[in-house]
Amino acid sequence: MDMPQRKHQQGLVYKESMEMSHILILGGDGYLGWPTAMHFSNLGYDVTVVDNYFRRHACTELDVGMLYPVPSLIERAKLWHSLTGKQIKVVIGDLTDAHVMRSLFDSRIQYSWAQNKRFTGLPETVVHYAEQPSAPYSLINYKYANITLTNNLQVTNNLIFAVRDFSPDTHIIKLGTMGEYGTPNIDIEEGWIEIEHNGRKDNFLFPRQASSLYHTTKIMDTDLMWFGVRMWNLRVTDLMQGPVYGIDTEATAINEKLRTIFNYDEILGTILNRFIVQAVVDYPLTVYGKGGQTRGYLNINDTLQCVHMSELKPARQGELRIFNQITETFSANELAEKVQKVGRSMGYSVQIDHLKNPRKEAEEHYYNPKYQGLVDIGVKPHYLTDGVIEGMFRVVGCFKKNIRRDVIFRGINW
Amino acid sequence: MDMPQRKHQQGLVYKESMEMSHILILGGDGYLGWPTAMHFSNLGYDVTVVDNYFRRHACTELDVGMLYPVPSLIERAKLWHSLTGKQIKVVIGDLTDAHVMRSLFDSRIQYSWAQNKRFTGLPETVVHYAEQPSAPYSLINYKYANITLTNNLQVTNNLIFAVRDFSPDTHIIKLGTMGEYGTPNIDIEEGWIEIEHNGRKDNFLFPRQASSLYHTTKIMDTDLMWFGVRMWNLRVTDLMQGPVYGIDTEATAINEKLRTIFNYDEILGTILNRFIVQAVVDYPLTVYGKGGQTRGYLNINDTLQCVHMSELKPARQGELRIFNQITETFSANELAEKVQKVGRSMGYSVQIDHLKNPRKEAEEHYYNPKYQGLVDIGVKPHYLTDGVIEGMFRVVGCFKKNIRRDVIFRGINW
């Protein structure tokens, strides 16, 4: 593999092996974090994951259930080690605390679990997933709005300052979201736009205006990252991701206990995952309003591919590189119809319900995002075929007895 | 006076008098907060001020000095009452705490001082100054960056949720900053721009990209306000203010002890105020780099006028109304030369020093902001004449013995 060899600016710390690249995954216990950790570990990278169990605690507090029980992050890392011989070092800590963040770079880190507790060294790459990721969560009430705002911005701010202070050459891969753009009446470019006005021109971030507080915090993240890039020449890739679907990745074939956290409720479950669970327990699919809300979607395996390709071809110093990380677009109606079609072919009845929209959003709108950049650096998209949906139905069907109908919908509105 | 009479949606609370409008000033102890409070009190409004003494504590912690001692907010309110018979109710509290913010609307408020401690009622208008306002402060190190980020965003977030939950008809007047726009290569419109792209059009917030972390938090404030306006039909006026200069306002003629907090250091002092102090103690004026940095400026008396005119003609429900709140533009060199000219005519020697720029900013750039909106609603600008500068020299000269040369410049760089 063609691993980028970049010099570090701090002589003090060193890597355990000059052959392996070190990747630090913030939010390594989450839906995307854990599969990403296994993916890179499998490829021979040194991997460190950090998490404060935010999602698990939220699941408990909000009583939303999970499709199946998931071992703790330490238990999963130990299992991974026993099955593959590879080490994923684990730090349980809250990254809103600047001291925890900085310990990951200044060698004061305390591993909660590691086979070899010596400091791995500065990371070549940080993948930043350590955010509260749910729009409805952010709008339950003012308390959850504040948690979302402070969690997401403090972690991001601590990250850019730690990288600036200790490891300015580290490549930050940040999960953004297509939701930052909203649904403008013009084509959505990949992050940037040239504006001509009164005969003069300049380049700007593509306009962003989100329709949830969570998505608004992601706009703010972009503001912070762009500030760090301009002021301190940080190297940042921002992956503007659409809703992700899927369960299994290559690594989960090794052992089912390695499967990622899977939520199916309105708060923490993403739309396609949730629709399949609803179909399995004969809960009518909950389309909001007219169902013309169109978004870009991608398979969880493509998230891994996108992050990996971004890591292999990092942003330059002083570059905020932005990719629209989606593989295809669907309206809510189209997704519901796909699930209905496949579900019915498998013997599920699958009804579709059009609820009064609990959100304030356009139910019919223009939507034309560009998404060429990731393909250009080598990503081979997986599309949402009937086969993919059928595969998800089969896994979800195995856990039918765990599904709680009472937590699927509660109608958080804003 | 033509006072807007707006209905409140919560029957529980009521105003003490139907003749007076109630204005709530967040950050009422600050450089602009206290003069604003006196201005509205003088005009017959019910005024409540809230502050946690953030600036005073910062002055102590950072050892930056003040031109003269300033009585506590309570002492000033008592003095104001004894001199004018008018009441400015005082709440000492931290608005990052949602419960403090919400108490201002749900009648649980505890006044730290008031002649009449009965709840005044919902405010028709909130003026939001309760932010950490300094670019260098925000970039001393990661700790001050975090304080700036969390203070400014939590207060703003708590405010929009409290208004949504208790008083959706309240008009929020928010201090923004011209620094949000940065120095783009196109004309700066008042907040908004229509973008035509691939044959389609839409309206967006004018692009923002600031050159300090503080200014970046103000961009984020705008994101929050715009979210609240779109989702909940809040009524918001955003005053994109340039650096303010000046000391005395109409109300300080009543008694010198009513003068506003005046800082003259690099962190909390704004450029013109600081230059005059430097000139008085024969400290060469500190122009950064080439000195071509051009910004829009305004007199403290015009801030009061702008806020007052905005209050009289409030934004509509569901409107984020944006004004560029400046009266004229100058480069750093032009400001230094003006101070030098007037200072020399008064017998001060006044040298100008071009320091290596401690900041990352363009020292020569295009700058063409529009600022017509406030004039259109009735503001009569005060310009920066030699007479105005001379008046400032006279006041500062009276306090020459208090000025600490050692705190004027410390070279915080980013």
Side-chain angles (χ1 to χ4, degrees), chain B residues 74-262:
Chain B
I74 291 173
E75 198 179 341
R76 293 201 280 190
K78 286 179 178 172
L79 179 63
W80 179 253
H81 184 253
S82 72
L83 293 169
T84 67
K86 294 173 195 294
Q87 175 181 227
I88 294 175
K89 293 183 176 182
V90 177
V91 179
I92 303 301
D94 182 353
L95 295 164
T96 64
D97 179 340
H99 298 283
V100 174
M101 179 67 83
R102 297 171 81 81
S103 78
L104 303 168
F105 294 87
D106 70 5
S107 83
R108 290 166 199 253
I109 188 169
Q110 303 240 352
Y111 296 106
S112 304
W113 181 83
Q115 191 67 12
N116 163 3
K117 295 209 170 188
R118 199 173 66 167
F119 181 49
T120 307
L122 290 173
E124 273 78 7
T125 307
V126 180
V127 182
H128 173 19
Y129 292 126
E131 306 220 354
Q132 189 297 98
S134 158
Y137 179 103
S138 73
L139 286 158
I140 294 173
N141 61 31
Y142 70 92
K143 182 184 120 179
Y144 293 96
N146 265 341
I147 292 171
T148 303
L149 193 71
T150 51
N151 182 79
N152 293 4
L153 290 170
Q154 283 186 2
V155 174
T156 303
N157 197 49
N158 286 337
L159 175 61
I160 64 172
F161 273 85
V163 170
R164 178 193 78 157
D165 293 343
F166 300 111
S167 189
D169 198 39
T170 288
H171 178 211
I172 299 172
I173 300 177
K174 169 77 182 65
L175 262 277
T177 156
M178 290 296 292
E180 293 178 46
Y181 301 126
T183 52
N185 195 39
I186 60 174
D187 296 342
I188 299 174
E189 300 298 326
E190 297 207 50
W192 302 94
I193 189 169
E194 183 182 76
I195 298 178
E196 184 170 346
H197 182 56
N198 299 344
R200 302 179 63 90
K201 284 182 188 177
D202 204 347
N203 280 301
F204 298 97
L205 285 169
F206 190 91
R208 284 151 167 79
Q209 51 184 3
S211 62
S212 88
L213 191 84
Y214 152 68
H215 290 93
T216 303
T217 66
K218 303 292 279 189
I219 295 175
M220 297 169 172
D221 282 344
T222 305
D223 292 333
L224 274 180
M225 290 285 170
W226 179 218
F227 176 72
V229 165
R230 280 176 295 136
M231 294 298 129
W232 309 316
N233 286 315
L234 303 188
R235 48 169 97 219
V236 178
T237 297
D238 197 357
L239 298 174
M240 308 292 277
Q241 187 171 257
V244 180
Y245 59 82
I247 307 175
D248 284 327
T249 60
E250 211 174 54
T252 53
I254 301 171
N255 188 303
E256 286 189 4
K257 281 195 163 181
L258 296 170
R259 273 196 179 125
T260 189
I261 284 181
F262 188 97

Side-chain angles (χ1 to χ4, degrees), chain A residues 247-261:
Chain A
I247 307 174
D248 284 326
T249 60
E250 211 175 53
T252 52
I254 300 170
N255 188 302
E256 287 189 2
K257 282 194 160 179
L258 295 171
R259 273 195 180 126
T260 190
I261 284 180

Side-chain angles (χ1 to χ4, degrees), chain B residues 201-388:
Chain B
K201 284 182 188 177
D202 204 347
N203 280 301
F204 298 97
L205 285 169
F206 190 91
R208 284 151 167 79
Q209 51 184 3
S211 62
S212 88
L213 191 84
Y214 152 68
H215 290 93
T216 303
T217 66
K218 303 292 279 189
I219 295 175
M220 297 169 172
D221 282 344
T222 305
D223 292 333
L224 274 180
M225 290 285 170
W226 179 218
F227 176 72
V229 165
R230 280 176 295 136
M231 294 298 129
W232 309 316
N233 286 315
L234 303 188
R235 48 169 97 219
V236 178
T237 297
D238 197 357
L239 298 174
M240 308 292 277
Q241 187 171 257
V244 180
Y245 59 82
I247 307 175
D248 284 327
T249 60
E250 211 174 54
T252 53
I254 301 171
N255 188 303
E256 286 189 4
K257 281 195 163 181
L258 296 170
R259 273 196 179 125
T260 189
I261 284 181
F262 188 97
N263 293 104
Y264 58 84
D265 66 292
E266 170 194 355
I267 300 175
L268 293 169
T270 49
I271 181 166
L272 186 72
N273 290 355
R274 185 161 43 86
F275 276 0
I276 289 169
V277 169
Q278 290 178 228
V280 165
V281 292
D282 203 16
Y283 191 112
L285 309 188
T286 42
V287 172
Y288 297 163
K290 292 179 187 163
Q293 301 91 323
T294 303
R295 303 287 184 269
Y297 293 87
L298 90 163
N299 190 301
I300 191 167
N301 288 286
D302 284 348
T303 293
L304 305 187
Q305 237 195 115
C306 292
V307 172
H308 185 208
M309 289 297 144
S310 301
E311 198 278 340
L312 286 180
K313 298 184 180 163
R316 297 184 307 275
Q317 284 205 311
E319 182 190 12
L320 171 61
R321 180 177 60 164
I322 303 176
F323 294 122
N324 292 345
Q325 187 180 340
I326 59 178
T327 58
E328 49 200 328
T329 65
F330 301 107
S331 68
N333 285 330
E334 286 168 336
L335 281 183
E337 285 156 17
K338 276 175 176 287
V339 171
Q340 186 176 53
K341 181 185 146 212
V342 176
R344 286 189 171 171
S345 77
M346 297 173 76
Y348 295 104
S349 74
V350 196
Q351 304 302 312
I352 297 176
D353 211 0
H354 283 264
L355 305 184
K356 183 173 177 304
N357 197 337
R359 307 178 177 189
K360 188 152 177 178
E361 61 183 5
E363 295 172 8
E364 289 170 318
H365 56 87
Y366 182 74
Y367 199 65
N368 188 27
K370 306 292 174 65
Y371 42 103
Q372 182 60 33
L374 284 162
V375 172
D376 288 346
I377 64 167
V379 170
K380 312 271 180 238
H382 295 73
Y383 296 105
L384 182 60
T385 60
D386 289 354
V388 167

